[in-house]
Every structure is written in C-alpha cells, then in structure tokens.
Amino acid sequence: MRRNMSRDAFLTDKWTAYPQPLPTHLGPKDWCLGKIAQKDGVTLHFVGRQQTFDISSQQPTDPKLGMAISPELLREGDVVACHHATGAVYLLSPNLQDESNVLHSHSSRDAMLEWQSFLETVRGYFIEQGFRYWHTPSLLPSPGIDAHIDFFQAQGVRTQRSYFLPTSPEFALKKAVADGQEKVFEIKSCFRDDDSSATHSAEFLMLEWYRAYADKWELFEDFLGLVRFVVKKLNLPLPTAFSASRVSIAELFVHKINFQLLPNTTENQLREMIVQNNLHANEDDDWDDLFFRLYIEFIEPSLGFAGPEAVYNFPLSQGSLSRKTANGWADRFEIYWQGVELANAYQEQNDPMQMKLRYQSEIEKRERAQKSPYPQDTKFLSKMEAGFPPCAGIALGLERLWMVLNKISTIQSLRN
C-alpha cells in the first residue's frame, strides 16, 4: 500500500467493508478491540479503558479482516482490531463524520464518560454505607401525592391499560421500608410534566434513600458524606468553601425581609408584605402562592453560597407526607448549594390516619386548581396501615448535583 494513499482511497479500494469476524477469531489474548479516543503518534488510546496500543507500520492482510490500515489514516472514533503480535491495526467500523465534528464528538464522549463514572461512584457510596439498592417499577397505579407536581401517563396500544410514569420512587421505597428494609436507596429515571429550565428537564435522575428509625438530620450527614466521597474518588475540586449550615424558614424571613413568619401567619399578613416589598399578587393567590412570591424573590437566590445549606421547618401546608413538629411546622428540610435546590428531605409521616388525610387534602388541591385527578395507590395506604416504622427519607436531583460540582450552567447538556 502506498504511504501517500488517502483515507478515502483506502476505504474505497483496500478496506474489507464492515467485517464480521467470529469471536473465536478475535481472541482476547491475541487482539485488542476498541474505539479510538485519541491517537498520539503511533499510540492509540481507547474510549473507556486505560489500555493503549502501539501501531506497527506493517500493513499485512488478514483473511477475515482484509488489509491493515496505515497509522496516518486512522481517526478518532474509528473502531479497530489491533493484533498484539504484529502491531497491525484493522478497521472494523470507520468514523465517517466530517473532520470538523471530531473535536465536538470527543468532548461530548468525555463528558458522558465522566457523568457515568459519577453515577457509579454515587451508587458505590451507598453500598459502602450499608444501604440496599432497591429496584422499583416504572409503570405505576398512581403518580404520587403532591398537588403541584404534574405527571406523564402511558397507555398500552393493545390492552389500552393506563399507567403513570414515576415522579419519584417515593411510594415504592416506602413500601420496602414497611416490609422491613431499614436502609434502602435507588437511582431512578423520573418524569415531571413541567416547563424545561436551566435546572429542570422533563426526564431526570433522582437519587432517593430512606433510613428507618432515624432522624432527618442523619440524611444531611449522608449528603455531606456523599459529596466528600464523590469529590475524592473523581478528583473534583469543591466549587466553594465546604461549610455546611442549617437555617430555619422563620430565621430567613427575619434576616431577609424583617418579617416574623409563624405557623399561624395569615394570608392578609402575607399580602401586606407583598405590597410593602413592591411585588404583585393576584386576587386568587392563596397562602402558598403569596409565600412563594416572597421566598423566590428575596430568599432562595441567596441560599447555599458558603456551602450546602439545609433550610428547615417549612409551612405545614407544604409538608406533603412529612410529620408535623411540636411547634406546628412541617418537619422537613431542603438542601441548597450555589443557589440551586438539590434535595428535599422529610421526617416521614407514619400515622396512617394522618397519611390518608394528607393524601385527600392533596387530591382536593388538584381539584381546586382544575388539574387532572389521579387515583390513590391503595396498596401504599394498606402498607402504611400494616405498620410503617418511624423513618426519614430524602430525594436528590443527581443532574443538579453534578451541575454544581462541575459549574455546568444547564441540565440539558447532560442529555444525549
């Protein structure tokens, strides 16, 4: 083969197109198979592995693979078979993209490999901490409980059966706790029918874990341990001084807008604060609408810039399935870091009567908002009645955590 032969000429005249050699032909002791991530002179680096291969200048012919390719004709993205004894490289599948796309493809591939390593590391942390990975279903009888969360519905083409896609694995993991599992977690694809934003995609990965017989603040320590573990394993820099803190909602309202928020604060008092701070409120806004206008405008944007910050004691109307504290707050916290809400944790409600009342309350909220109704998960409720231990649970958005750790501006960049 002439040394000045072009890549196009080789592919047209010399290459055995897309060979399909038997596995017995390409034995692992004799061959190195892979996709080229980088070519450094005559050394090949492969996608997803540490192994390298030094190319020979020989171009022998193999009866099943055709003529070996000259080193200068190889390109990043080529899938090759490298013969250890001769140093020859045979082309199995060429990268046919235009040269201008190679750098972009290489960068995207590296980003996805880093993301996959992150997911493996997260799972490894919880296994190391003695949690059991619990696989939960993706076709559900009910999408959840929260009135403000909209869902996706799936229907069988043949059977016409209707299911819901998970908005979180909450109910399924709580069923596991009710059945005796004390430390469980899952990394689950979840779906919420919300508008896309820099920090939200309709499909996202949720990490959720539960500790039976535990206080909710043990979950905050789990989170901090997870971050330290990931940073060490993946050699990542912490984006800020890692100074974790806790602050109540009431303290934040005093510090930010000089307002004493109490469990019995009235709707009229919130409206007065809206007017004083030159914000607009609609006539039909309820208590929670008014609260969030103040919270989102004056409080949320400043959270977590000195390190992860746990904001606790939310208004009871935002308690979902958390317990009620002795002084009337919802016994839950949210974790913020770099102004991004990462996680939502509960001291879980385990009184089945209170659970049913809260469930019904959320259904009524959906009806008042003229949103599509959804059925109750009766199996979940029966599990609660059969005995649900005191426990704490937390849900964490993994894309958001990865964004904060790597200073990524949009969640969309993590989607293929």
Side-chain angles (χ1 to χ4, degrees), residues 7-27:
R7 179 180 170 92
D8 286 344
F10 176 81
L11 293 178
T12 301
D13 300 332
K14 302 295 182 182
W15 182 49
T16 298
Y18 296 96
Q20 292 289 330
L22 295 173
T24 52
H25 178 62
L26 300 182

Side-chain angles (χ1 to χ4, degrees), residues 238-351:
L238 285 172
T240 64
F242 196 70
S243 177
S245 61
R246 306 177 188 179
V247 62
S248 72
I249 288 283
E251 290 174 303
L252 288 170
F253 268 75
V254 169
H255 294 159
K256 300 297 182 180
I257 56 175
N258 195 29
F259 178 70
Q260 186 68 53
L261 185 73
L262 299 169
N264 60 356
T265 293
T266 67
E267 185 177 309
N268 285 337
Q269 288 173 316
L270 289 179
R271 284 191 182 276
E272 288 175 8
M273 285 305 300
I274 293 283
V275 172
Q276 289 179 27
N277 287 280
N278 299 313
L279 297 179
H280 172 73
N282 299 317
E283 289 186 5
D284 59 350
D285 282 345
D286 62 15
W287 196 100
D288 288 319
D289 294 327
L290 299 172
F291 167 86
F292 279 114
R293 288 186 191 279
L294 293 167
Y295 186 76
I296 292 171
E297 180 71 23
F298 297 112
I299 294 173
E300 192 174 56
S302 65
L303 296 175
F305 283 94
E309 189 167 14
V311 180
Y312 65 94
N313 279 4
F314 277 77
L316 191 61
S317 58
Q318 296 153 30
S320 189
L321 292 182
S322 66
R323 293 181 66 90
K324 179 181 177 180
T325 68
N327 52 5
W329 299 103
D331 200 1
R332 54 175 285 245
F333 66 82
E334 293 182 357
I335 300 174
Y336 285 84
W337 198 3
Q338 297 293 295
V340 179
E341 179 196 341
L342 296 180
N344 187 8
Y346 295 166
Q347 195 71 49
E348 300 289 350
Q349 178 61 257
N350 68 324
D351 180 336

Side-chain angles (χ1 to χ4, degrees), residues 106-160:
H106 184 71
S107 175
S108 299
R109 187 167 61 241
D110 286 349
M112 290 309 300
L113 285 172
E114 291 170 359
W115 167 242
Q116 295 301 323
S117 294
F118 167 68
L119 297 180
E120 292 167 5
T121 303
V122 169
R123 178 167 176 151
Y125 170 76
F126 282 93
I127 296 296
E128 190 173 292
Q129 296 300 310
F131 283 78
R132 172 168 286 178
Y133 183 83
W134 202 262
H135 179 72
T136 66
S138 295
L139 294 177
L140 306 176
S142 172
I145 181 173
D146 293 290
H148 67 281
I149 295 177
D150 293 314
F151 51 83
F152 287 96
Q153 198 162 359
Q155 188 173 53
V157 174
R158 183 180 65 83
T159 64
Q160 297 297 301

